[in-house]
Each structure stands twice: as C-alpha cells, then as structure tokens.
Amino acid sequence: MSLLPLFDASLLGRAAQPALEFGGVALTFGDLEARSNRLAHTLRARGLKPGDRLAFFLQNRVDVIDLWLAGVKLGLIVVPVNVLYRERELKHILADAEPTAVVTSSDMAGFLPAGVTVWDVDVLAAESAPAPAERAAVAATSDTPLSLIYTSGTTGASKGAVLTHGNFAANGHALVTEWRFTERDRYLATLPLFHVHGLANGIHCWLFSGCHLRLTERFEHAKAAEWFGEYRPTVFFGVPAMFIRLLEMPADVARAIGARLRLAVSGSAPLPAEIHEKFRQLYGSVILERYGMTETLMNVGNPYEGERRPGTVGKPFAHVQVKICDEAGATVPDGTTGELWVKGPNVCSGYWRRPEASAAAWRDGWFQTGDIGERALDGYITLKGRRSDLIISGGFNIYPREMEELILEQAGVREVAVVGAPDSVRGEVPIAYVVVDAAKFDEAAVTAHLRSQFASFKQPRAFVRVDALPRTALGKVQKRLLPPWKG
Ligand code: MLC
Ligand code: AMP
C-alpha cells in the first residue's frame, strides 16, 4: 500500500482545515495537497520518474513537506541530507545516492560539491505556481522505496537505509495509535526534517491524525518560551539535549506549558533518569522515552497509559519483535545484557547498493541493531550502550573512525583516537587524543580543515596530546584507558 491513502484522510478529507503554520504563513491541508501537486507536475516536467532519487539539503521549511508529498505521489526516492554536513559527507552521500538533483536554498548551495545538479528551492516553487493543482500520482505498494536516509550504522562509511512506503506507514500508524493522536492535537515541530525523528515520526503523526503543526526552522532554546507560549502545543518531540535546554524555563512558565502538553516524547539518544525527573518536577509532565533507529524507525517505547519508567525505553511496539541475543545469536535470559535484534514491518529493506553490509546486519530475518541492553522480568528494556564506539552528540551520530581517518591525514599527526566525553547538554562531545610531531602539527590549520570537511557537531571539542595511545598486545587502541577529558 502506498502512503498516499493514509495521507488522504487529511489532504482530501480535511481540505479546509488549518494544517500548519510556519514563519507567519498558515496553510490548510487542501493548500498542501495543491502545492505538492503543482510541485509534482514540475518535477515530472523536469524529467523525474518513479525510482529516481531526489535529494534535499534544506533547513526546515514548508517546501520540505511539499517535496516529501510530491515524492510520495510520484514514486520518487527522496534523500534527506543533514544541513550541517560539509564537503566529505556531502560528496560521499551524493556519489552514493546518485540523485538526479539536490534541492537547496541559495545560501546553502555553495556547500555542495562541484558536478552535482542543484535545483534552487525558490526557483522550483516559482515554476510550480502556475502548474495544475490536480493530483499527479503513480501507484505504489508497501515495498516501493520512498527514502534513502544515510546513517553511520555500526561501521564507518555512511550507508543509505532504503525505507519503503510500508516502513513509514507501519511506523506512523503505530505511533498515532499508541500515542493517542487526534485532530485536536497541536504539534510543535522543531526537530530537523532530514532525520527520522522529525520526519518519520513527526510528519507522519501529523498527517495521519490531521492535527495541527507549527514548524520552526530549527530548535533554538532562546525562543522556546515564546514558541510554547504562543502556540500552546499539546505534543512535543525532542532529543534529550532539547529537554535539557527546556529545564532553563522559569517555573511558572514551565507549569503553564506542562498543563497543556499531553505528550512529550524523547528519543534518538539516552535521556538521563535525572532529566526525566527534573522535567516532571518543573513541567508536571512525564516524558515518554522511546528507542528507534534510522534503519528501523521506532522499535520500543514507554507506554502512553501506565508507567513511563525513567532510564528505560519501555516495551516493543505492537508490530515489532525484539529479542536480546548473545554474541552467538542465542537469546539471553531476562535480566542479562545482550544485543537487541528487531524484526517487523518498520525495518528497512536493506542498505542502498551494499549487499555485503546488508548481509552483515541481518541474520535470519532479524536486524542486528548494535545496541546493547537488557529486558527486566516485567518487560521494560534498558539500553546499556553500543557494540560500536559510536558517539551521539545532541542526537546527531558521530562515527569516530570517519574523523580519525581525516585527522590522521593531517601533517604532524602520528596517531589519533576520537572518543566521546560526557557533556551536560549534548550528552557526549567528541575529543581527539593525538600523538603528534609537535614541530609539524598546526592545530589551528587542522581545525580549519576539519570544519570545511565535516559537520560542526563532529568537530573535536579539544585535541588532547598524549605520548602514546594505550593499546592491547594486538595493537588495538583501548579507548577506555585514555585519561578522562577535564573540559
Ligand atoms: C544544530 N545546529 C544547527 C542546526 N542544528 N545549525 C544550523 N541549522 C540547524 N538546523 C548547530 C549549531 O550551529 C551549533 O553548532 C550546534 O548545532 C548546537 O546548536 P545550539 O543552538 O547551541 O543548540 P543546542 O542547544 O546545543 O541543541 C542542539 C540541538 C541539535 C538539539 C538543537 O543537536 C539538534 O537539532 N539535534 C537533533 C538531532 C536529531 O534530530 N536527531 C535524530 C536522529 S534520528 P556548533 O558549531 O556550536 O556545534 C535517530 C533515530 C531515533 O536518532 O531514534 O530518533
Ligand atoms: P540514528 O543512526 O541516527 O538513527 O541513531 C540511532 C541510534 O540512536 C540507536 O542505534 C541508538 O543507539 C540511539 N538511540 C535512539 N533512541 C535512543 C534512546 N531512547 N536511548 C538511547 N539511545 C537511543
């Protein structure tokens, strides 16, 4: 089944109803239907056919929603690209996905590598304005790919998870049901639309339920009080760094916000139990923490009714099977730590053009998440870490090896290990431990080069010079034995 019939309850059924506001502009569901039809006609006229990739490199704006809807209608494979990515990340993703074009804004086009076809988002919109408002749509099934979303997974090179109409439908349907969305809800959307938390969860809960959405270009904690006060949301989704920022709110303001907020969902990185408790005290609202991945969308969540247990991610969603396995793939008893394996209609169909990586990640139909955790006797799952040394900073993933490889290429660097150090807001921040030839190592030059190549959140917060990296007898770096970073 295509996603479109699931959107139609809102796009067609609630055509006159207010759907969203963004930057002072208010649109109905009927407006969104017409805008995306016009854009679909334009994209078709520009030669796009079902299965073609179309990337977007954009901050949150209504045009991202138009592109998503047009992609659904035309059977395109939409490739969201993190706006913070720079040369290396962009080159890799665009060479791998081979999109027909990248839709971007004039202020960001300069970051894109030479040789890529760039379509300006405002030019596309202007060209679409006179196009017919009638629907242009092709048939799609559950298995039709809809999006390639890049993730580091458990190994270095970023891979595109191929997510289908069926994956988004299963995820959206489950969340709308489990989280009791109705058209009376008001969802404040500050998460980026280029990752699954904002896109697969946020956009689909909104469109499936027909609730109202206020979109912001990005999360800015200095504006949070104003946004919450003006918009009066009933629903908010965030990463832990956002909830930590929201603790800065004055107590009376927080209480008033909490009184209207029926659902606050945290995910994408661990939410410390202490933050869960502080948020409850300040807002009077109990955060619902859930666990997901780009490859699988949402897997496990605390209940809407019932205990939302701090420090845990709850129980598997109704359509998802989770088992916890030892290294040999045997299920471990409750209360024992192992790797989470998942299975269900939410799990992506594989990695784009990477049969070996796909074969390595799936076993007997189960996706091996790389996340380590345990299940209590009453079913609640607690995550304990990861099989790889992935760093999650503010909900954005950093695969240390990717950074280490580039740092090693720099003059004067003999050895490097990038590790995550605790950070009170972002959870973790990357630190580079380096063994350098002091006469040749120019930290300022290295920093400037890294900034041109990689996203800001991947930049080492510090270079810590050490005489040698601790290694095992076999020469493997023992990151745990590095001296702690003292900010
Ligand atoms: C962040 N920054 C942006 C930006 N988002 N810059 C431009 N546009 C954006 N949209 C940059 C800032 O420039 C800054 O760079 C740094 O990020 C932090 O910005 P800040 O304003 O100080 O924000 P802060 O209060 O620290 O909060 C950061 C944050 C951000 C929470 C806004 O980390 C964020 O948006 N995280 C969401 C990540 C996400 O959606 N993950 C879901 C992945 S899906 P500098 O140079 O200071 O670093 C997934 C699966 C699942 O994991 O389960 O959901
Ligand atoms: P991504 O590749 O960006 O989709 O990130 C997915 C990873 O985020 C998962 O494999 C987990 O390690 C982590 N993650 C998501 N939700 C949670 C959570 N609630 N608690 C801890 N880690 C989480």
Side-chain angles (χ1 to χ4, degrees):
M1 167 200 236
S2 149
L3 267 177
L4 198 50
L6 297 170
F7 292 164
D8 279 348
S10 295
L11 293 179
L12 306 179
R14 301 182 175 96
Q17 193 171 302
L20 86 87
E21 59 190 56
F22 174 77
V25 175
L27 298 171
T28 62
F29 286 107
D31 293 332
L32 291 172
E33 164 69 4
R35 285 172 65 107
S36 55
N37 289 343
R38 294 193 165 103
L39 178 63
H41 286 291
T42 305
L43 296 175
R44 209 178 240 176
R46 287 195 177 199
L48 282 172
K49 299 176 302 304
D52 285 347
R53 272 81 58 216
L54 179 65
F56 69 82
F57 182 54
L58 289 169
Q59 292 280 15
N60 288 355
R61 50 191 283 167
V62 179
D63 310 76
V64 173
I65 295 168
D66 297 335
L67 277 166
W68 188 252
L69 292 175
V72 167
K73 291 174 177 177
L74 293 182
L76 304 181
I77 303 181
V78 181
V79 187
V81 181
N82 187 322
V83 294
L84 298 168
Y85 285 169
R86 293 296 174 260
E87 194 173 325
R88 282 232 177 175
E89 294 139 322
L90 295 170
K91 268 191 181 157
H92 169 72
I93 290 174
L94 299 174
D96 194 68
E98 293 187 310
T100 305
V102 185
V103 179
T104 192
S105 49
S106 51
D107 55 329
M108 289 174 56
F111 292 120
L112 291 168
V116 170
T117 303
V118 175
W119 288 353
D120 183 278
V121 65
D122 295 313
V123 171
L124 264 186
E127 198 175 313
S128 300
E134 283 71 47
R135 194 172 265 195
V138 301
T141 71
S142 295
D143 296 333
T144 307
L146 169 57
S147 193
L148 267 188
I149 308 192
Y150 279 79
T151 168
S152 299
T154 48
T155 54
S158 175
K159 300 181 285 287
V162 182
L163 288 151
T164 62
H165 281 245
N167 297 144
F168 288 103
N171 184 70
H173 179 70
L175 300 187
V176 162
T177 312
E178 299 243 5
W179 295 345
R180 315 285 186 265
F181 265 83
T182 74
E183 61 179 355
R184 289 183 304 283
D185 277 313
R186 297 171 66 75
Y187 165 52
L188 177 61
T190 66
L191 283 161
L193 298 180
F194 47 75
H195 279 317
V196 302
H197 196 165
L199 180 67
N201 296 6
I203 293 299
H204 293 87
C205 282
W206 162 58
L207 286 173
F208 285 14
S209 68
C211 72
H212 193 267
L213 174 107
R214 176 167 181 171
L215 183 68
T216 69
E217 190 178 88
R218 52 171 298 208
F219 180 81
E220 288 170 80
H221 60 272
K223 295 199 180 150
E226 184 192 321
W227 291 339
F228 276 93
E230 262 176 33
Y231 185 59
R232 306 164 76 89
T234 61
V235 177
F236 179 74
F237 294 170
V239 296
M242 296 177 179
F243 288 101
I244 291 170
R245 293 294 197 192
L246 290 176
L247 294 178
E248 292 160 19
M249 199 77 76
D252 54 334
V253 180
R255 267 285 147 181
I257 292 170
R260 294 184 290 262
L261 196 62
R262 70 165 188 87
L263 176 66
V265 178
S266 176
S268 311
L271 179 75
E274 179 207 344
I275 304 301
H276 193 280
E277 180 53 21
K278 283 189 173 156
F279 192 86
R280 188 185 64 73
Q281 281 170 10
L282 191 61
Y283 286 81
S285 167
V286 182
I287 296 174
L288 187 159
E289 184 175 5
R290 86 330 174 254
Y291 153 69
M293 288 185 87
T294 300
E295 291 93 327
T296 64
L297 306 179
M298 300 306 110
N299 294 315
V300 178
N302 273 278
Y304 187 79
E305 283 99 13
E307 186 195 2
R308 299 182 192 163
R309 193 175 299 168
T312 78
V313 290
K315 300 180 184 180
F317 287 114
H319 62 300
V320 185
Q321 295 179 64
V322 176
K323 62 179 183 177
I324 304 187
C325 296
D326 64 17
E327 301 246 321
T331 311
V332 299
D334 287 344
T336 312
T337 300
E339 183 185 1
L340 274 74
W341 292 22
V342 301
K343 194 183 209 176
N346 53 312
V347 180
C348 76
S349 57
Y351 292 115
W352 176 252
R353 293 178 176 165
R354 279 173 206 273
E356 297 90 33
S358 303
W362 273 264
R363 200 142 127 203
D364 305 328
W366 292 82
F367 177 76
Q368 305 169 83
T369 64
D371 288 308
I372 305 296
E374 68 184 47
R375 191 193 311 253
L377 289 178
D378 61 4
Y380 279 72
I381 294 174
T382 303
L383 297 180
K384 304 265 178 174
R386 294 192 48 96
R387 206 173 58 185
S388 70
D389 55 1
L390 179 78
I391 301 167
I392 306 184
S393 186
F396 289 123
N397 289 2
I398 305 164
Y399 193 75
R401 206 172 100 195
E402 184 186 47
M403 297 304 291
E404 289 164 0
E405 281 171 5
L406 182 61
I407 295 171
L408 257 189
E409 289 171 18
Q410 309 307 305
V413 180
R414 278 199 245 127
E415 293 181 70
V416 59
V418 172
V419 300
D423 180 81
S424 60
V425 175
R426 296 189 194 163
E428 291 180 284
V429 287
I431 305 294
Y433 289 82
V434 284
V435 179
V436 297
D437 183 344
K440 292 197 201 133
F441 179 67
D442 177 347
E443 188 173 318
V446 171
T447 303
H449 185 60
L450 291 183
R451 287 211 162 262
S452 72
Q453 299 296 306
F454 284 117
S456 62
F457 59 86
K458 294 185 187 173
Q459 303 303 324
R461 189 64 75 85
F463 284 93
V464 178
R465 297 178 194 207
V466 289
D467 295 333
L469 296 178
R471 290 184 184 274
T472 62
L474 295 175
K476 186 174 171 347
V477 177
Q478 290 178 293
K479 293 188 171 179
R480 303 175 282 112
L481 299 184
L482 285 162
W485 182 62
K486 301 220 177 63

